[in-house]
Amino acid sequence: MPWCPLCRNEYIEGKTRCPDCDTELVSELTDESKEEPALYIPTEAELAELAARKAAAARMTTYTSAKTRHSETKSSAWTFLIIGSIGFFVITLALFDVITLPLNNFSLFIMEAMFIIFLGISGVSFKNAAKMLDEISMEDCLETRIKAWAKEHLTVGELTAGLEADTSEEMKYFMVSALIRERLMLAFPEVDDAYAEELTENFYNELFSEDGNL
């Protein structure tokens, strides 16, 4: 399993760079890197760079839940079905001279074929939406497991044990978030990066809001 020589975090196979500090991962830690390091305090410039990098990564890897994708797919299916049905009905009436449209027969056939394609797309979309129901169920089950794990393993006391009393809020956010994400990925390696980022953000906000509790 790859390791980050700076953060000393372990990641799943396939990762090549640390998502927290952008350091190239190594196959194993050396004896020196396994020693307990002194608490690293990044400079303001390093914090600003890290913030910009994490913001850019969040924009590129925004997590979309299965429920959201299911809703969007189903909405798209209904749109294609309604437009395709109305268009097919109107063009069919025009082809049989029931109504008159300012189009020649060739154009009408082209439009008829287009609306038939719309109906086909709607059918495929409804089928894909139905397949997503199992994915939603699995996602809900995983989320339930993660929340139960978080209640037991993520506490303010443990997450802030290595921080000085005068640590700034920005520093606390980056250091605690990195620790939450590390523990989350070790406990649930099947969670992808975008979902891990969203969960980390949510857990941090719940733990450190004025009256928040997991």
Side-chain angles (χ1 to χ4, degrees):
M1 303 288 278
W3 291 79
C4 174
L6 181 60
C7 303
R8 301 190 311 115
N9 297 336
E10 183 181 13
Y11 294 95
I12 59 175
E13 291 293 343
K15 296 288 184 185
T16 58
R17 302 193 72 83
C18 176
D20 296 316
C21 66
D22 200 34
T23 300
E24 186 173 355
L25 302 181
V26 297
S27 59
E28 61 179 347
L29 297 177
T30 62
D31 292 339
E32 292 78 9
S33 62
K34 288 180 181 179
E35 295 178 359
E36 194 66 29
L39 182 63
Y40 173 67
I41 306 298
T43 64
E44 291 296 325
E46 289 173 328
L47 278 177
E49 182 182 356
L50 179 58
R53 189 162 57 238
K54 289 178 77 69
R59 287 194 296 270
M60 292 186 294
T61 60
T62 301
Y63 175 69
T64 304
S65 68
K67 288 181 180 178
T68 299
R69 287 185 281 109
H70 174 266
S71 177
E72 292 174 349
T73 301
K74 200 169 183 179
S75 176
S76 176
W78 277 110
T79 300
F80 277 108
L81 177 62
I82 292 172
I83 294 176
S85 298
I86 294 174
F88 180 82
F89 178 72
V90 171
I91 298 301
T92 299
L93 293 179
L95 286 172
F96 284 94
D97 296 324
V98 177
I99 62 174
T100 301
L101 294 177
L103 297 169
N104 57 38
N105 283 341
F106 178 76
S107 297
L108 290 174
F109 279 119
I110 293 298
M111 294 187 68
E112 187 84 318
M114 180 185 69
F115 288 121
I116 290 174
I117 292 174
F118 279 16
L119 293 174
I121 293 174
S122 73
V124 173
S125 296
F126 277 119
K127 186 176 181 180
N128 289 338
K131 291 180 179 179
M132 291 179 186
L133 295 177
D134 288 339
E135 189 176 347
I136 291 174
S137 178
M138 294 174 60
E139 186 180 74
D140 288 342
C141 180
L142 176 60
E143 184 176 352
T144 299
R145 289 169 50 214
I146 291 175
K147 286 184 176 180
W149 167 85
K151 282 182 178 292
E152 182 178 354
H153 294 88
L154 298 181
T155 64
V156 173
E158 290 184 356
L159 293 171
T160 59
L163 299 181
E164 299 293 337
D166 59 348
T167 301
S168 67
E169 287 299 315
E170 292 81 5
M171 182 78 72
K172 182 177 75 172
Y173 170 78
F174 286 117
M175 299 184 74
V176 172
S177 293
L179 185 55
I180 291 175
R181 194 179 190 284
E182 174 192 355
R183 293 185 178 183
L184 174 65
M185 294 302 290
L186 286 175
F188 301 93
E190 69 271 27
V191 173
D192 63 40
D193 288 341
Y195 191 23
E197 287 294 336
E198 180 176 293
L199 289 169
T200 298
E201 185 76 17
N202 291 342
F203 288 149
Y204 183 91
N205 291 336
E206 291 171 0
L207 281 166
F208 294 94
S209 62
E210 292 184 1
D211 56 350
N213 291 297
L214 280 174

